[in-house]
Amino acid sequence: MANPFQILSKPPSLVKDPVCGMMVDPAKAPGRLELDGIGYSFCNLNCMVRFRAEPFRYLHPETVKPAAEAPGTLYTCPMDPEVVQDKPGICPVCGMALEPKTFAAGVAESNPELENMARRFRISLWFTVPLFALAMGQMLPALEHLPGWIAWVELALATPVVLWAGWPFFERAWMSLRFRSPNMFTLIGLGTGVAYLYSLLAVIAPGLFPPSFQGHHGRVPVYFEAAAVIITLVLLGQVLELRARGQTSAAIRALLDLAPKKARFVFNGREQDIDLELVRAGDQLRVRPGERVPVDGSVVEGSSAVDESMLTGEPVPAEKHAGSKVSAGTMNGSGALLIRAEKVGEDTVLSHIVRLVNEAQRSRAPIQRVADRVAAFFVPTVALCAIAAFVLWAWLGPEPRMVYALVSAVSVLIIACPCALGLATPMSIMVGTGRGAAGGVLIRNAEVLETLRGIDTLLVDKTGTLTEGRPRITSVWGSEEAHRLAASVEQGSEHPLASAIVAGAQERGLALEPARSIQAAAGRGVRGVVGEHSVVVGNEAALEEAGVRANPYIANAGEGRAKGETVVFIAVDGSVEGALGISDPIKSSTAETLRALREQGVRVVMLTGDSRRTAETVAAKLGIDDVRAEVTPSQKHDVVREFQQAGRKVAVAGDGINDAPALAQADVGIAMGTGTDIAMESAAVTLVKGDLRGILKALRLSRATIGNIRQNLFFAFFYNALGIPIAAGVLYPVFGVLLSPMIAAAAMTFSSVSVIGNALRLRKVEL
């Protein structure tokens, strides 16, 4: 759509700035725009871009209705991403705190749930420490005959911990029963609730208990300290978990914050800082030394080295000059750049990265389904184990058998809390996808991480994937003058070969002249007049059509074609004066990457629409023995299905629109970040830099993440398999060991911390 705003050529006399109301002399106004044939002048560029963004708001303020409230932040569960709501809360499935589904730059990293749990933990600690000391002190011989009113002190200390600090856990336990979704909080609520209510009744009405409930001193024992310590330890576990989850989102916020909040707008020779959201495609912006690039665009003027490590993971700055592409969030070096904005806001590469990482962190890997199925039966099974332990101890245990029965049942409920099982997969997925983004590998969803590690066949496009995708002059025969004249004729063409000829001349410092009488012949070449010279640039058919028959460079043409080059002849005034060999160079990292992939047992197949001769030449240089050339996009899709039907796990790497069907059909589609948007949308993995070495990074990340998840699941299952029998008292008949509820709670917290710590190790994995 054409820009309706135009610079006024004949401004009227003194006028009012429609944004701020100041009177402006149009002849001296920093900014002037025209809308619907009416000119507007502004006192500064900031007013001009604000008017441009919302002209109706400033022209008709009396009729502008208050803007509808923007949709609020959506909240989702990291373990159950299908749970989404428009306000903070807790997940009805697993009981975990919901977290924002999206993040915004510049937003304070406050976490109300973390602050709430941390406050409850601190306060509960003040009550639990003296309560624990008092309870443990009674086990000492000197203090074992303390008066009965001590139990009332314990009640006073335990009540705020259980009923206030632990109240969120009881809410979640009730919700789990209400939604028929038992989870870790079901067990915590049952265990601590039983211990507290039993102890409360023992203090208020001890006469209700039969003799079998009485301890060694004729009193009914109380377990206020167990309930309080359990609540305090679970609160500690929640604080540690929420902090760890916050670290995974901190990476996304850090990426968002890389984009500056202001951009230096350049208009009619004037410059002014404006809010980034007011920048539009086509605007010219100044990026000074040491500043971050605000939007995606291309360099109009200037040269500099730009640090793109935040996008690509490569520490070496990239040289930028007129025509080079720059990305939002990258850091400019020592040179000043004038850039033209091309993609702004949600369309930038940086925003695309954030969106993909966010979606991947909220997705589920197939391996998590195993944990989900186990968890569905786990809680009811544990509840039955606790009941069985209570019954067996009450029936067969030593006196006071009812006390032992209660202790063992509560211990089973507490130690079996499946929090470690629930955290095993989401924590690793969050950390792993964040690590991949930092290394220039974007993972669309968690399933890809599991699928990628099993890939045994890689189908690769040639142009833009194995090669640079930009034709260049790689051989020159004849004089510089012939090359200069050829580039002068070609400089108005958009053909890739023409661009290569012009770029090659510019690199050699050849001065081009305007050409006239241009005539292009599709598939053959172009002719024109430069100065007093008649110039023909093209293949043999173009020369023959122009009446130029003698070609002294035909031998060179054969040599160039043998190397996979396209040979273009240059005829000046009816005589062939030179030839140019043009090819698409192989990326410097391609050969090394393909060799490493083959060493890992991955079969590499070239899949390209290019001519068979060119494809086979490139394949021979790279050691690829299976080449499918001259294939259409639909045929590429069919080749992928052919390999899949043969039982192969197929990944496809490509960068163009013609690769999109194959990328979508593949088990894993890998798009070059330097390619087309549709290719990236069709792929499950995007390599930001477009370097095939990113495939090796993706494979390493996949294997590291899935290995980490399996370690976490082992920790969780092994811990429960070992802890539940001990809590039930199987060691008591032989060793006299009975696990107390407090030790069970400490063990449960330690298991969660071990899973979190193991997942965070992925941040250090070498890609």
Side-chain angles (χ1 to χ4, degrees), residues 391-402:
V391 170
L392 289 173
W393 274 97
W395 179 29
L396 303 174
E399 294 293 346
R401 62 184 60 179
M402 296 302 293

Side-chain angles (χ1 to χ4, degrees), residues 539-675:
N539 53 23
E540 288 97 329
L543 297 181
E544 186 175 346
E545 186 178 279
V548 181
R549 288 182 171 79
N551 185 357
Y553 294 98
I554 190 68
N556 300 121
E559 173 190 335
R561 286 169 180 151
K563 295 189 296 183
E565 296 176 336
T566 298
V567 178
V568 176
F569 300 101
I570 307 168
V572 181
D573 297 329
S575 174
V576 178
E577 299 293 336
L580 301 172
I582 302 173
S583 66
D584 184 5
I586 296 172
K587 292 178 180 178
S588 58
S589 61
T590 297
E592 174 192 348
T593 302
L594 295 184
R595 184 166 52 252
L597 287 169
R598 283 192 289 265
E599 289 173 356
Q600 296 186 28
V602 178
R603 178 183 178 185
V604 180
V605 180
M606 182 189 291
L607 194 63
T608 178
D610 283 0
S611 68
R612 178 164 296 279
R613 181 171 183 176
T614 302
E616 289 177 345
T617 300
V618 173
K621 293 179 181 178
L622 296 174
I624 299 175
D625 55 12
D626 191 346
V627 179
R628 311 292 178 93
E630 299 175 357
V631 292
T632 64
S634 61
Q635 289 173 333
K636 287 186 177 184
H637 174 274
D638 294 340
V639 171
V640 175
R641 292 190 61 186
E642 173 190 328
F643 279 100
Q644 289 174 328
Q645 289 171 356
R648 312 284 292 189
K649 293 294 183 182
V650 181
V652 173
D655 74 326
I657 293 174
N658 62 330
D659 298 315
L663 289 169
Q665 174 64 32
D667 295 289
V668 177
I670 303 172
M672 303 294 111
T674 50

Side-chain angles (χ1 to χ4, degrees), residues 353-373:
I353 290 174
V354 171
R355 187 163 56 251
L356 284 180
V357 173
N358 209 4
E359 290 172 356
Q361 290 188 343
R362 303 287 176 251
S363 60
R364 289 186 142 188
I367 196 171
Q368 187 172 347
R369 296 172 193 152
V370 177
D372 292 342
R373 286 194 295 268

Side-chain angles (χ1 to χ4, degrees), residues 199-250:
S199 301
L200 177 64
L201 194 59
V203 172
I204 296 175
L208 295 177
F209 291 84
S212 61
F213 275 83
Q214 295 179 2
H216 297 296
H217 306 292
R219 291 198 299 263
V220 179
V222 293
Y223 293 95
F224 289 120
E225 82 285 354
V229 169
I230 290 167
I231 292 294
T232 303
L233 288 173
V234 174
L235 284 169
L236 173 61
Q238 288 291 291
V239 169
L240 295 175
E241 176 195 323
L242 290 167
R243 282 181 179 171
R245 284 163 58 185
Q247 289 178 5
T248 63
S249 62

